[in-house]
Amino acid sequence: MLLIVGALLGVAAHALDTSKEFHNFVSNTWSIEEGLPQISALAMSQDSQGYLWVGTQAGLARFDGHRFTAYTPENAPGLPGTYINALLTDDAGNLWVGTYKGLARWRTDRFVAVPVAADANTAPNILALARTAQGVVLAAAGSTVHAVENDLLYPYVQLERPARALLVEGPDLWIGSVGGVYLRQPDAALRFIVFPADARNTATRALLRANGSLWAGTSEGLFVLIDGRWQRYAGTAGLSHTPIEAMLLDRDGNHWIAELAHLTRLRSDGSFERVVREGSGLSIRSLFEDREANLWLGSQWSGVTRLRNGWTRRYSERQGLKTPLLWSVAEADGGALWVGSDAGLVRFENGRFTQVIEGGALPHPSAYSLRAEGDRLWIGTRYGLAVLEDGALSTPARFEPLAALQINGIVRDAGDRLWLATSSGAFRDDGERVIRIGEAEGMSDPRVRFLLPTQDGRLLMGTQAGLYEIRDDRALPFAADLGMPPALDITVLHELANGDLVAGSLSELLYVFSAGRWHLLGKAQGMPGNAPFFLAHDENYLWVAGIRGIGRVPLSDLQALVDGRSSRVRGEMLLNERGDRRGGQKGFCCNGAGNSKGLQRGRTLWAPSRDGLVALDTQDARMPDAPPTTLIERVRIDNEWRPLQPGQLMSLPVDARDLAFEFTAISFYEPRSIGFRYRLLGYHDDWREPDEAGQRVTGYTNLPGGNYRFEVQGSTAADQWSPPATLEFRIEPKFRETGWFVALLAAGVGLLGLAGYRLQRRRYRQSAMRLEALVQQRTLDLAEANQRLHEATQTDPLTGLRNRRYLAAQIPKDIAFYARELSAPTPHPRVLLFALADIDHFKSINDTYGHAVGDRVLQQFAEVLLGQVRTGDYVARWGGEEFVLVFRPMPLAFLPVLGERLRSAIAAYPFDIGAAKPLRLTCSLGLCQYPLLQGGDDSLHWEHLLELADSALYRVKRGGRNGWGAYQAKAGVNAGRVLALLRESESALEQSSELNFIGGGATEAARGILELPV
């Protein structure tokens, strides 16, 4: 408990800054979307663990900064009613809850009803709670103030009028009632101090001692006790007669008064601020200050709102701006500021804006860049330059060349010469004319964003295509090839006190030039992502303002990075447009790239934004001093959530193997930036982080039996980790997870191993014999399978004939086998004959009857061809509707007979296609002999002979089909000449006198069919 309280008090800072206007506080609102039971927050308190409790009209809620846990009589039977009027936390850690049906006490994990001692069935409407100096809890209900003793309500003070509010001051008790206030003092009679005559029916709603006076907030206005008499408050307009809902004195002496629709803050010095909201107004019903000095507003309509100081102030339309869109800022005389807006030039002084020059009077309404020089103010616009001097606005004629250019920066170099950064180069003013530095002077891109005169007299220029130095009116690349990528879009330059340079880029990267080279400073090195527009430094930090907000990095971290002593820095965002986790407070910032996009004055950074001028107090920008209080709220055991007792050691049954843990870290300072890590000792010792930011539940399945300790830590945005919250538990092991089981299992395994070994030896011998027989059988099966596979690869699956692969392997063997027989001298030469057969008009068969009929025709065609060959001859499917027939040696004179026989066999065959009539087909055949050449020249490959047969076949096709043909070589023709003719066109082959073409068709068939010799 001491650790928790210490952590909470360690974070405590000042209350809401009395000098800040209400709208400058950081504000966050939570309501029914986050789990609040009902939108009306009627009462608030904070318990010893740090939870914020909120009473509504529909139940009580406990809040950890992330979500609400709701309690009603249905899920918390000890809670008497849902309408919560009052809440109080005592020194013992009890939370007391006053409802319209009685009082309850919350201690650790449950509610206990506190009945009336005289009649337990009475349900008093508790309107107010207080605690005496001795720690006695008082509860106001009806005309009685009760005291709690042993969880029972006993009468403490009996009144004639109803008790509506309580205030304990030492031994004295103030009781707000109707028409006045009771005072109960020791050893004195009960006094009733009445309100003025015009307020005798006024109901008291709040009593408060603030700034030396006693205040009563009532249904008819604010009253103050002066010289023992109540008087209407005569200060702030409206408070004397407007209904008061709640009051609070914060730790810095601010007296907060919640009216029916508005909120007033009375400062200790007597000044005040009244926050007025139109429409339904603020409708505040309760006020509360937590241990972190956050102010909580409980609304009638919109849940709870937390206010904290933050470290920025914003000056916008309510301070006199005509447009909130600002572009530039510069010093003015007397502590004022010049501000360039989207509608001209504005002066900021004493917290108010004054329009100095309307936008229409400038070359362009946007005053994009500024430079103040005594009584002269240079104004760079999006279309040219203007000068304000002695109250007069002018545009010198020498600046006419800049009339169409955007002026991004205005500086003076070491020689007091004026330089202008523009959208088309850098310009130097010599008093009579301006001289341009652009492409001709060495720039690759003339768009200049920033100019920086350095301590050593250099003038650096940041462009959209890299960094340059202007020297003798030339643009020279600066520190190129020293660690900075070329052509980087430079948005800002800055020189540190030690002379190191910092360059910012539109790619959200910073580069530090130190010891002769550039050092990268980006996300990988620990910087938040931001495209910087303004850089500044103080004694401790480099400040970076850009399109996403304002951040900082310790200068010591920068030095360690450039020295090589560290690879990371502790960069952090303090103002963030998107409201990112660990992004600081949310707010608009910052506009434009170029000079005068920010200003450092003392401890304050000023930056233009699209919502006015932002002022960031660099010394107020402090993160929490201590990590948040981390708690394990409950555990889920086999799909049932169970609350936890502090220090509880859980013993779980043997079957409880699936667990989940829900945890939280209580901090209302910036709850969305809290991080978590956890571990389950006994299962994994390494710290792990949730998969998603803000996730507060983790689970485990199938945990083995044993002892465990779950630990979880919460961290601030600066990675300050809290002491771990722990939960120790034991899962009873199953018998198979015990040591006895392991020992028995080991012994059993040993015995089984011995028996198995002996049995295995016997089986091994038997298996070896079976294996040997099996190997022999598998060898035979494999040989047979290989043969079948070989046959399958050489067989056409449709016709069952041999295929082209078979021919490629078989024909060379046949030629070699018959070579001696073919070369022997004989009066009747014998040759091997090849016939290439092609079905005429086969495509029309497929087109007319379909491919299934086409396949049947191919199968029958193959059968007819098989019927025309002898033993030793073979038929193969060459491809598609083409077939090759190879005939063993026969007399050359039988070639015409063979051709005619094949042709007529096809022509005469009735092809069955499943129709009433058979189909009549013809074929064309090309034949060739081996050897083709006379004189024993066999250098032609068999494939060349099939090419020649194919040429003869297509000559038959061109001649009308249903025929056969063959080319025969004349005497003296060699193989080279035949090959040359094959490579030429068909017409060359037909017209050649070196090859004879013989052939026949249906006409020759009438002469009779010759028989082949067997």
Side-chain angles (χ1 to χ4, degrees):
M1 187 66 67
L2 288 175
L3 271 176
I4 292 172
V5 173
L8 290 169
L9 292 178
V11 183
H14 291 291
L16 299 183
D17 189 340
T18 57
S19 66
K20 273 191 177 181
E21 293 185 357
F22 186 85
H23 73 275
N24 280 318
F25 297 133
V26 179
S27 172
N28 294 93
T29 297
W30 294 270
S31 189
I32 55 176
E33 294 80 7
E34 290 76 31
L36 191 66
Q38 196 263 346
I39 59 175
S40 299
L42 307 179
M44 290 180 284
S45 187
Q46 189 173 24
D47 67 16
S48 58
Q49 292 181 304
Y51 288 106
L52 181 74
W53 290 83
V54 182
T56 75
Q57 295 177 2
L60 184 64
R62 188 180 70 177
F63 188 47
D64 62 357
H66 176 68
R67 66 176 178 86
F68 292 93
T69 301
Y71 298 94
T72 64
E74 285 72 25
N75 63 14
L79 190 63
T82 58
Y83 199 112
I84 312 298
N85 292 314
L87 295 172
L88 173 71
T89 303
D90 65 18
D91 293 335
N94 296 293
L95 175 73
W96 298 88
V97 185
T99 81
Y100 78 118
K101 286 188 175 182
L103 181 67
R105 175 177 59 85
W106 166 274
R107 177 69 174 177
T108 307
D109 65 341
R110 64 181 178 273
F111 292 97
V112 177
V114 182
V116 176
D119 184 359
N121 295 320
T122 302
N125 183 15
I126 308 295
L127 294 180
L129 295 170
R131 187 176 69 255
T132 68
Q134 294 74 32
V136 177
V137 173
L138 304 179
S143 58
T144 303
V145 176
H146 298 272
V148 177
E149 184 179 348
N150 298 325
D151 281 345
L152 292 174
L153 289 172
Y154 293 91
Y156 185 72
V157 181
Q158 292 287 353
L159 309 170
E160 294 182 355
R161 302 182 181 217
R164 297 296 185 89
L166 298 175
L167 175 64
V168 174
E169 291 188 308
D172 299 338
L173 173 63
W174 296 90
I175 307 169
S177 185
V178 175
V181 177
Y182 289 97
L183 173 60
R184 182 183 185 274
Q185 294 176 304
D187 302 324
L190 185 67
R191 294 173 53 197
F192 185 68
I193 307 173
V194 299
F195 292 138
D198 63 345
R200 293 299 167 85
N201 294 319
T202 296
T204 306
R205 291 176 176 168
L207 293 171
L208 180 69
R209 176 73 66 177
N211 301 322
S213 298
L214 183 66
W215 302 81
T218 76
S219 59
E220 295 184 17
L222 182 64
F223 294 85
V224 60
L225 190 65
I226 300 176
D227 295 331
R229 299 179 62 185
W230 288 110
Q231 299 181 19
R232 289 189 183 272
Y233 174 62
T236 306
L239 288 181
S240 61
H241 286 82
T242 189
I244 306 300
E245 298 291 330
M247 293 192 298
L248 173 75
L249 180 68
D250 70 26
R251 65 189 65 181
D252 278 355
N254 293 295
H255 179 190
W256 297 90
I257 305 163
E259 309 168 43
L260 185 63
H262 311 305
L263 180 66
T264 298
R265 172 172 53 166
L266 296 179
R267 301 184 179 95
S268 57
D269 61 1
S271 63
F272 70 91
E273 177 188 10
R274 193 157 187 246
V275 183
V276 178
R277 294 282 172 87
E278 302 299 330
S280 62
L282 295 171
S283 300
I284 297 172
R285 294 292 304 276
S286 58
L287 295 167
F288 182 74
E289 184 182 30
D290 67 21
R291 298 185 187 111
E292 294 174 298
N294 299 303
L295 179 66
W296 293 85
L297 313 179
S299 170
Q300 177 72 32
W301 312 116
S302 55
V304 293
T305 297
R306 181 222 56 194
L307 301 175
R308 67 173 174 85
N309 266 329
W311 35 75
T312 64
R313 286 177 169 86
R314 189 174 298 273
Y315 304 92
S316 188
E317 291 168 299
R318 70 177 68 207
Q319 286 76 36
L321 271 181
K322 291 184 178 181
T323 172
L325 181 56
L326 305 183
W327 292 110
S328 55
V329 60
E331 288 274 11
D333 58 289
L337 295 176
W338 292 112
V339 179
S341 80
D342 208 41
L345 179 68
V346 184
R347 184 180 176 91
F348 179 73
E349 191 169 13
N350 297 325
R352 299 292 301 176
F353 291 99
T354 303
Q355 189 79 28
V356 178
I357 300 176
E358 296 292 340
L362 294 173
H364 185 278
S366 295
Y368 195 75
S369 60
L370 301 171
R371 178 176 177 81
E373 297 179 338
D375 294 334
R376 178 189 301 156
L377 178 69
W378 299 91
I379 307 171
T381 77
R382 291 191 183 275
Y383 290 111
L385 182 72
V387 181
L388 179 66
E389 192 166 10
D390 296 328
L393 184 70
S394 65
T395 302
R398 68 182 185 275
F399 294 111
E400 183 62 28
L402 282 69
L405 304 181
Q406 176 171 299
I407 312 301
N408 294 323
I410 309 168
V411 302
R412 287 195 180 272
D413 64 13
D416 201 35
R417 295 177 298 179
L418 188 72
W419 287 87
L420 300 109
T422 80
S423 55
S424 183
F427 289 81
R428 176 170 58 82
D429 175 31
D430 65 2
E432 296 181 357
R433 62 190 181 95
V434 290
I435 299 171
R436 181 176 182 267
I437 309 297
E439 299 93 321
E441 289 71 33
M443 297 176 63
S444 61
D445 188 325
R447 292 172 294 180
V448 182
R449 290 193 188 273
F450 202 92
L451 291 170
L452 176 68
T454 65
Q455 300 172 29
D456 59 2
R458 298 174 183 267
L459 180 61
L460 301 184
M461 177 171 58
T463 78
Q464 291 186 238
L467 181 60
Y468 292 84
E469 178 185 355
I470 299 178
R471 190 188 309 165
D472 298 328
D473 289 343
R474 297 287 302 173
L476 306 175
F478 179 79
D481 302 324
L482 293 176
M484 179 188 288
L488 197 66
D489 192 340
I490 304 296
T491 54
V492 65
L493 296 167
H494 182 69
E495 187 173 18
L496 299 175
N498 62 0
D500 287 353
L501 296 173
V502 184
S505 71
L506 199 62
S507 57
E508 299 190 345
L509 298 174
L510 289 168
Y511 286 86
V512 182
F513 189 72
S514 179
R517 66 172 290 102
W518 292 103
H519 303 268
L520 174 62
L521 189 62
K523 291 181 181 179
Q525 289 74 38
M527 285 296 292
N530 196 8
F533 294 155
F534 170 66
L535 298 173
H537 72 274
D538 55 23
E539 296 175 350
N540 299 311
Y541 293 99
L542 171 68
W543 295 87
V544 183
I547 194 169
R548 293 195 182 184
I550 300 177
R552 68 183 179 186
V553 56
L555 291 175
S556 58
D557 287 15
L558 283 187
Q559 193 61 51
L561 180 76
V562 300
D563 291 346
R565 292 180 284 112
S566 174
S567 61
R568 289 187 62 82
V569 298
R570 293 167 294 170
E572 58 185 350
M573 291 294 287
L574 299 175
L575 180 66
N576 181 262
E577 284 224 357
R578 301 183 304 184
D580 294 335
R581 177 176 178 262
R582 300 191 176 188
Q585 67 188 64
K586 187 176 181 180
F588 291 130
C589 188
C590 297
N591 281 347
N595 296 85
S596 68
K597 302 310 177 186
L599 178 67
Q600 184 179 21
R601 177 191 280 174
R603 58 187 276 177
T604 304
L605 296 180
W606 298 85
S609 81
R610 52 195 168 107
D611 186 21
L613 194 61
V614 177
L616 186 145
D617 190 323
T618 58
Q619 295 185 25
D620 253 1
R622 296 190 300 270
M623 293 297 183
D625 299 325
T629 302
T630 306
L631 300 168
I632 303 171
E633 292 190 310
R634 55 181 184 165
V635 61
R636 187 182 66 201
I637 304 171
D638 292 335
N639 296 320
E640 179 187 353
W641 285 105
R642 302 182 187 178
L644 297 176
Q645 297 282 353
Q648 178 181 2
L649 174 61
M650 292 194 309
S651 182
L652 304 180
V654 69
D655 294 327
R657 301 306 175 104
D658 298 339
L659 301 180
F661 303 92
E662 187 174 50
F663 43 83
T664 189
I666 304 174
S667 173
F668 303 112
Y669 183 83
E670 197 58 63
R672 60 187 170 83
S673 292
I674 292 174
F676 292 96
R677 66 186 184 188
Y678 60 88
R679 62 184 177 182
L680 183 59
L681 298 176
Y683 187 72
H684 66 88
D685 295 340
D686 57 307
W687 288 103
R688 299 177 182 178
E689 296 187 1
D691 296 332
E692 299 179 6
Q695 180 179 327
R696 299 177 183 226
V697 177
T698 189
Y700 298 87
T701 59
N702 297 320
L703 288 173
N707 296 318
Y708 298 94
R709 186 172 73 216
F710 179 72
E711 296 184 348
V712 60
Q713 291 180 291
S715 75
T716 63
D719 283 335
Q720 295 174 302
W721 292 96
S722 69
T726 64
L727 173 64
E728 295 187 7
F729 62 94
R730 171 178 173 78
I731 299 176
E732 292 299 325
K734 299 177 182 179
F735 177 71
R736 64 172 180 267
E737 296 171 330
T738 62
W740 283 106
F741 177 78
V742 174
L744 291 174
L745 184 62
V749 169
L751 291 174
L752 287 174
L754 179 61
Y757 172 74
R758 297 176 62 88
L759 181 61
Q760 188 64 24
R761 284 179 56 87
R762 178 182 176 186
R763 289 179 175 175
Y764 176 76
R765 290 193 295 269
Q766 295 173 346
S767 296
M769 291 186 290
R770 288 196 300 270
L771 182 59
E772 184 177 356
L774 183 61
V775 169
Q776 294 176 355
Q777 181 61 41
R778 291 291 185 267
T779 302
L780 293 175
D781 292 344
L782 181 60
E784 183 178 348
N786 287 337
Q787 182 60 33
R788 287 196 301 270
L789 179 61
H790 178 72
E791 290 291 330
T793 61
Q794 297 189 343
T795 302
D796 175 50
L798 178 63
T799 61
L801 300 177
R802 298 297 188 181
N803 59 15
R804 179 177 282 193
R805 180 177 293 181
Y806 175 81
L807 292 179
Q810 187 61 35
I811 291 179
K813 296 178 183 178
D814 289 344
I815 292 174
F817 181 77
Y818 292 118
R820 183 182 297 273
E821 180 180 351
L822 298 176
S823 61
T826 174
H828 302 291
R830 296 173 65 81
V831 293
L832 282 171
L833 287 181
F834 304 107
L836 190 60
D838 183 89
I839 302 174
D840 294 332
H841 302 297
F842 183 72
K843 182 176 182 301
S844 64
I845 297 173
N846 280 335
D847 293 344
T848 303
Y849 301 103
H851 288 280
V853 170
D855 290 346
R856 292 180 63 180
V857 168
L858 290 174
Q859 291 170 337
Q860 295 176 61
F861 190 83
E863 293 174 1
V864 175
L865 294 181
L866 285 172
Q868 304 303 313
V869 300
R870 308 162 297 170
T871 302
D873 302 336
Y874 48 91
V875 183
R877 187 178 179 191
W878 187 247
E881 65 270 25
E882 288 188 329
F883 296 80
V884 172
L885 295 89
V886 180
F887 295 92
R888 57 185 171 82
M890 66 174 64
L892 179 59
F894 281 99
L895 185 148
V897 177
L898 179 62
E900 182 57 31
R901 177 173 178 170
L902 293 173
R903 183 205 65 77
S904 60
I906 296 301
Y909 186 81
F911 286 84
D912 181 10
I913 61 172
K917 292 182 179 181
L919 184 65
R920 295 292 181 172
L921 300 176
T922 63
C923 72
S924 299
L925 296 109
L927 289 85
C928 194
Q929 65 195 58
Y930 177 84
L932 175 69
L933 306 175
Q934 300 178 17
D937 186 354
D938 60 354
S939 59
L940 286 175
H941 194 268
W942 65 272
E943 289 180 332
H944 298 144
L945 299 180
L946 284 183
E947 285 185 53
L948 197 60
D950 189 57
S951 296
L953 183 148
Y954 278 93
R955 185 166 178 174
V956 172
K957 292 277 189 184
R958 290 193 297 274
R961 295 181 174 82
N962 192 18
W964 62 272
Y967 281 105
Q968 294 183 324
K970 293 182 179 181
V973 178
N974 59 31
R977 181 56 184 160
V978 173
L979 291 175
L981 289 171
L982 285 174
R983 295 189 186 98
E984 294 183 19
S985 63
E986 290 291 338
S987 60
L989 190 62
E990 292 180 8
Q991 296 170 8
S992 172
S993 61
E994 296 165 292
L995 295 176
N996 286 334
F997 179 78
I998 62 173
T1003 305
E1004 288 78 0
R1007 302 172 186 166
I1009 299 176
L1010 300 176
E1011 296 290 338
L1012 286 175
V1014 178

